[in-house]
Amino acid sequence: MRRFLRPGHDPVRERLKRDLFQFNKTVEHGFPHQPSALGYSPFLRLMAIGTRSGAIKLYGAPGVEFMGLHEENNTVMQIHFIPDQCQLVTLLDDNSLHLWNLKQHGGASELREEHRFTLKGPPGSPPSATQVTAVLPHSSREVLYLGTESGNIFVVELPSFRVLEDRTITPEAVLQRVPEDNCNRRSCELVEALREHPKNPNQILIGYSRALIVLWDLQNNQAIHHFLGNQQLENLYWQRDGSKFISCHYDGSYTQWPVSSDNRQSEPLENTVPYGPFPCKAISKIYWQTTKNGLPYIIFQGGMPRASYGDRHSISVIHGSQQTAFDFTSRVIDFFIIFSSDPAAEFDDPSALVVLAEEELVVIDLKSAGWPAVHPPYLASLHCSAITCSHHVSNIPLKLWERIISAGSKQNIHYSSMPWPIDGGTNIAPDPPQRDLLLTGHEDGTVRFWDASGVCLHLLYKLSTVRVFLTDADPNDNMNTLGEDEWPPLRKVGTFDPYSDDPRLGIQKIYLCKYSGYLAVAGTAGQVLVMELNDEDAEHVVDHAEADLLQDQEGYRWKGHEKLKTRDGPVRFEAGFQPFVLVQCQPPAVVTSLALHSEWKLVAFGTSHGFGLFDHQQKRLVFVKCTLHPSDQLALEGPLSRVKSLKKSLRQSFRRIRRSRVSSRKRRGAGGNASEVQEANAKFDQDALQEMELAPVQRKIEARSAEDSFTGFVRTLYFADTFLRDSSRHCPSLWAGTNGGTVYAFSLRVPPAERRMDEPVKAEQAKEIQLMHRAPVVGILVLDGRSTPLPEPLEVAHDLSKSPDMQGSHQLLVVSEEQFKVFTLPKVSSKLKLKLTALEGCRVRKVTVANFGSCKTDDYSENDLAVLTNLGDIQIISLPFLKLQIRYPCIRKEDVSGIASCVFTKYGQGFYLISPSEFERFSLSTKWLVEPRCIVDMPEVTSNNHMHNKSGTENAERKSSPGDCGEDERKSGRLMEHALLNDEKVLKEIQSTLEGGR
């Protein structure tokens, strides 16, 4: 009867659970998926990126990050910062405007949406009448100018978004000052650009798509100058002194226009087609930056010859005789230049070019010779090659950490040493308590090492396995090499490269031992590489060994891809992790599981055909075990040829359904002949035995057939020093779990260190466990006499863990997709189980042991199981009693790729892909929490009397700014102080008082 009793409510345990467990999604690592807009504030030195899903993300100094999400989930079309304020405005594709504010709350800044607004026209007007195409936040910080498709320019008050109808600039008013002969052939259509005069805030430049440009006087509400181009207008840019401006056009040309003092039509100074004379693509944006040496920087997007380079995504930089067209592998969304923002400065002196492409952010150093790229501290392009697997290692020893950084720094010599130029805000988050690594395997055969200790996911080092194999591409090829006379002068930049030379190179499994520096990497074509860390470049031969997992069984023929061809002779490797042995599985199927024991110098690997053990010290294969079922032909087709297998999968599914229906009819006592009745009785007896184990609330799970496909698929491998044969002697062992619910245990004899190279490692199968429902085994764990998981290899030797209790009896925990089951060792008798699928209706996808510490005291911590199910829920289950502690919804159940990509850390955190380019980081622990915590203070506004008219300045001084980052008291105090220091009368009184005091 005890099985039907519900456990009582334990208030002490409930209180302890609140101190241990807490679910938070903390930060998004990587590059925003589908970016659509870019903005930059020279005043705050913050960059903003908008996405097609309605997200807006702000970035400053490393660790300074903010995120907001529009409720509408519409595409962000434009982002504009309000001058000299902690405010920005976003324009969405539904024509709505949103005002965002950076405000302090609880000692840190937060990004909040303050107001939203949609411009509406008069009744009966078409949508184009108010469709916003250009936005200009005025330097007075009081109004927005909104250009529309109809040619009207509306003036909207901030922060209320009230339309000031009396200040609307209509096409009719503009055309009044344009000569009649031009009015007939050029109407004021779509407003392409609005630009404020850099020296006179009472004047704005209006650019219409039909190449009419007007300089408009805001005070007198009239046109001062008009400029007529010959080609469709794309964009405008003022020169710093306001004497000239630049227009760029659809035909790939740009034009300089002088702005004279008299009221007349101005003629262009110069018209240039930089990549002519053949037809060119449009120049969509342009900058003209002045320098002290007199030679300007001309920077523009597009303009390439259509016929030969129409598919290129480029931004060109011209400085005197130096010209480079930076070639990006994905579409350019937008770009901006970082230059001197001091209004008193005479020259722009640009320092960096910041380009937002569709798949990455690229920053170019314009101060250094050759214009090198700057290594970004965040917004890493995680998917520069598609991510195929990931592996997390916690608490990296300092020595290994420094060696990895040293190897990475040698790879980054071509990057600029320039400090990161987007450095606004202050990171006030505490320093990470430990060094963590996140390793990602990629489709192109590379492994990237990321610093996952804090908010910024920073690339430390990149490892390539390609050099070991012969591929179509030469690894020494330099994509950036240019001929001296090549035109246009294209230079490829960025790291995004979605094309793989060979899909067989893809990395499927990674295992890093942080104590020894050994790394095992396994791939798509059955290749297993064992590597060690070397601080210097080296050239050596990689030893090869083959593991025939079919063991020459007859009747099997591999129908998948061939193995990769290896290079003969010595191979040169750069400093870092260098392979010294390659184990090739035969057939060359995807490696599905991998385990490394650096103390015993053994590596275990599994595929859909079986598993093997390799001694990487003696470089000798210890044994292989075939797990393939005689009827499982699907496992021989390989991952790259699954077309024929679809019919077979459907056929097997229908067979299972038929078996289920037949068995249910038999249980209902359907009549039949003697053999059918006998079979039904036998089935009933078997079902009755199973039903005895089922509580009334549990679901009945249909048993899987041994003939189901991929039953031999090896899901998990595990090394343990435990009691396998008898309770008096423990020995090294290897455990393997398969897709068909089978667990194999092999006892190992590893020679002592002094005879390690002389005697071979021996293995012998000791146990074989078959789970009743044949559910896939996803995890194996051995608990010592204290019911504590066995420590990692070399963990005890480094005094980072207690020695395991080898006196008491050990326990074996087998985690299948459907249940958790504890067995005693060495007898392997069932002790305890938790039927997750029967109770919850879900299946286990990922499981790991995590250590949870109390947030109230440092003296208490416990080990629990962190479990991710196919429904996207995360459950925490206690050890060793298998009690469900708490459940959190984490990932949408429809997000299959997100669930498959999830990886847990040792201390109760986790990562999963929310898009091909972004990891979502979450925490299950109250103690271990990595999240952005930063502050953006309002910088002092530099006095700039020539840029503001008197009324605008007085309003700014008199009125409390709504976009201030501080609290109301600090805000008003700072504005009052600023106003007093700019008042000459007050300053004279202070001076006379001080002189009188002296």
Side-chain angles (χ1 to χ4, degrees), residues 248-360:
C248 53
H249 300 272
Y250 183 76
D251 66 340
S253 67
Y254 64 85
T255 305
Q256 290 188 65
W257 301 87
V259 179
S260 56
S261 55
D262 56 337
N263 184 1
R264 60 180 177 83
Q265 177 180 335
S266 297
E267 296 298 327
L269 285 175
E270 182 183 3
N271 183 66
T272 306
V273 184
Y275 295 112
F278 300 108
C280 295
K281 291 180 68 178
I283 294 179
S284 56
K285 189 173 182 178
I286 191 166
Y287 280 81
W288 183 289
Q289 300 279 283
T290 57
T291 61
K292 293 177 183 175
N293 64 10
L295 293 173
Y297 278 86
I298 305 167
I299 304 168
F300 56 87
Q301 176 185 346
M304 284 283 140
R306 284 187 182 275
S308 304
Y309 301 93
D311 59 339
R312 299 299 181 99
H313 314 289
S314 68
I315 290 181
S316 299
V317 181
I318 303 173
H319 180 59
S321 60
Q322 189 177 1
Q323 180 168 348
T324 299
F326 294 104
D327 187 14
F328 299 86
T329 53
S330 59
R331 184 172 61 93
V332 174
I333 303 298
D334 201 354
F335 73 99
F336 62 84
I337 309 296
I338 297 178
F339 56 91
S340 174
S341 58
D342 181 6
E346 188 177 351
F347 303 102
D348 293 308
D349 285 328
S351 58
L353 162 66
V354 181
V355 183
L356 176 67
E358 200 166 34
E359 305 292 352
E360 62 185 329

Side-chain angles (χ1 to χ4, degrees), residues 49 54 73 110 164 193 242 278 338 372 418 511 550 557 614 629 683 707 721 776 778 817 845 850 853 869 901:
I49 294 176
N73 289 341
E110 292 180 354
L164 304 177
F278 300 108
I338 297 178
M418 172 189 208
Y511 197 104
L550 294 181
R557 188 171 63 87
F614 186 80
H629 192 273
K683 179 70 176 175
E707 296 180 1
D721 187 358
V778 295
E817 281 190 356
R845 286 290 178 257
T869 72
S901 66

Side-chain angles (χ1 to χ4, degrees), residues 66-126:
F66 302 95
M67 180 178 171
L69 186 64
H70 296 87
E71 289 182 8
E72 296 81 1
N73 289 341
N74 286 63
T75 300
V76 180
M77 302 298 292
Q78 296 183 36
I79 302 174
H80 299 273
F81 282 87
I82 307 300
D84 302 343
Q85 295 291 296
C86 291
Q87 289 179 309
L88 63 152
V89 171
T90 55
L91 172 67
L92 305 189
D93 65 351
D94 65 353
N95 207 39
S96 61
L97 289 159
H98 301 254
L99 179 67
W100 297 82
N101 230 326
L102 277 170
K103 285 189 173 181
Q104 285 189 22
H105 177 75
S109 297
E110 292 180 354
L111 181 64
R112 295 180 182 176
E113 185 178 353
E114 295 289 325
H115 299 285
R116 66 187 64 190
F117 163 75
T118 301
L119 187 63
K120 295 179 180 178
S125 60

Side-chain angles (χ1 to χ4, degrees), residues 706-930:
E707 296 180 1
D708 285 354
S709 296
F710 286 112
T711 53
F713 185 117
V714 180
R715 293 285 291 266
T716 183
L717 291 164
Y718 178 70
F719 286 107
D721 187 358
T722 188
F723 301 95
L724 195 56
R725 295 195 176 276
D726 56 61
S727 56
S728 59
R729 289 178 299 173
H730 57 89
C731 66
S733 62
L734 172 66
W735 300 76
T738 72
N739 217 43
T742 308
V743 177
Y744 300 94
F746 281 74
S747 63
L748 308 176
R749 183 189 172 278
V750 182
E754 60 273 12
R755 300 195 304 275
R756 183 66 178 81
M757 288 300 292
D758 303 324
E759 300 179 11
V761 175
K762 294 183 179 178
E764 184 180 357
Q765 184 170 340
K767 306 284 182 188
E768 182 174 336
I769 307 167
Q770 180 62 61
L771 300 181
M772 182 181 297
H773 289 304
R774 302 181 183 275
V777 177
V778 295
I780 298 173
L781 183 68
V782 172
L783 307 175
D784 69 4
R786 293 188 293 264
S787 297
T788 303
L790 295 181
E792 295 178 17
L794 297 174
E795 194 172 10
V796 175
H798 284 76
D799 297 325
L800 295 171
S801 175
K802 291 181 182 178
S803 297
D805 182 357
M806 308 303 281
Q807 305 301 320
S809 60
H810 285 196
Q811 301 172 77
L812 170 70
L813 172 63
V814 177
V815 181
S816 75
E817 281 190 356
E818 297 176 1
Q819 68 179 10
F820 301 79
K821 197 162 188 176
V822 176
F823 300 89
T824 60
L825 288 176
K827 292 184 178 180
V828 194
S829 57
S830 178
K831 180 180 179 182
L832 184 68
K833 63 183 169 185
L834 170 62
K835 296 184 176 181
L836 188 71
T837 304
L839 291 168
E840 307 291 338
C842 57
R843 297 182 184 274
V844 177
R845 286 290 178 257
K846 304 277 182 175
V847 62
T848 194
V849 176
N851 183 268
F852 292 92
S854 172
C855 62
K856 297 289 179 65
T857 174
D858 293 333
D859 300 332
Y860 183 81
S861 66
E862 65 180 43
N863 291 307
D864 297 290
L865 290 176
V867 179
L868 176 69
T869 72
N870 64 327
L871 303 179
D873 292 338
I874 291 178
Q875 304 186 13
I876 298 174
I877 296 172
S878 66
L879 285 174
F881 301 112
L882 302 182
K883 299 292 184 185
L884 177 62
Q885 300 300 297
I886 202 158
R887 181 192 296 109
Y888 301 111
C890 180
I891 310 173
R892 292 181 301 107
K893 64 180 180 181
E894 298 85 8
D895 187 4
V896 178
S897 60
I899 293 172
S901 66
C902 182
V903 57
F904 288 107
T905 77
K906 192 177 178 181
Y907 294 99
Q909 295 185 71
F911 303 82
Y912 69 93
L913 287 171
I914 54 174
S915 74
S917 59
E918 291 172 289
F919 273 115
E920 175 83 70
R921 187 179 191 136
F922 62 87
S923 174
L924 306 169
S925 171
T926 56
K927 191 173 182 180
W928 299 90
L929 196 67
V930 175

Side-chain angles (χ1 to χ4, degrees), residues 456-481:
C456 295
L457 196 67
H458 180 61
L459 182 63
L460 299 178
Y461 165 68
K462 185 180 83 170
L463 161 71
S464 177
T465 62
V466 179
R467 287 182 179 274
V468 180
F469 306 103
L470 287 169
T471 61
D472 295 335
D474 186 348
N476 297 317
D477 283 349
N478 186 0
M479 298 293 290
N480 291 335
T481 304

Side-chain angles (χ1 to χ4, degrees), residues 363-427:
V363 178
I364 305 295
D365 178 4
L366 297 176
K367 289 286 189 183
S368 302
W371 299 333
V374 182
H375 194 52
Y378 48 72
L379 285 173
S381 183
L382 298 176
H383 64 317
C384 44
S385 173
I387 294 176
T388 49
C389 66
S390 53
H391 175 66
H392 188 275
V393 188
S394 299
N395 207 9
I396 303 292
L398 179 60
K399 186 174 181 181
L400 176 63
W401 187 263
E402 291 175 341
R403 292 178 71 189
I404 291 173
I405 290 176
S406 175
S409 64
K410 293 175 183 177
Q411 295 177 334
N412 295 334
I413 54 174
H414 60 282
Y415 279 108
S416 167
S417 58
M418 172 189 208
W420 185 243
I422 305 165
D423 55 2
T426 305
N427 180 16

Side-chain angles (χ1 to χ4, degrees), residues 144-200:
L144 288 177
Y145 290 90
L146 307 177
T148 63
E149 281 187 4
S150 62
N152 287 296
I153 299 168
F154 297 92
V155 185
V156 176
E157 190 178 45
L158 287 176
S160 64
F161 278 135
R162 183 171 64 90
V163 179
L164 304 177
E165 296 181 1
D166 58 324
R167 295 174 62 178
T168 300
I169 304 172
T170 64
E172 292 77 18
V174 171
L175 291 173
Q176 283 179 359
R177 305 304 295 265
V178 178
E180 289 185 7
D181 57 335
N182 295 318
C183 290
N184 295 330
R185 63 187 183 93
R186 300 179 188 276
S187 62
C188 295
E189 290 184 346
L190 181 147
V191 178
E192 286 285 359
L194 293 170
R195 296 287 180 264
E196 183 178 337
H197 195 291
K199 298 296 182 182
N200 186 353

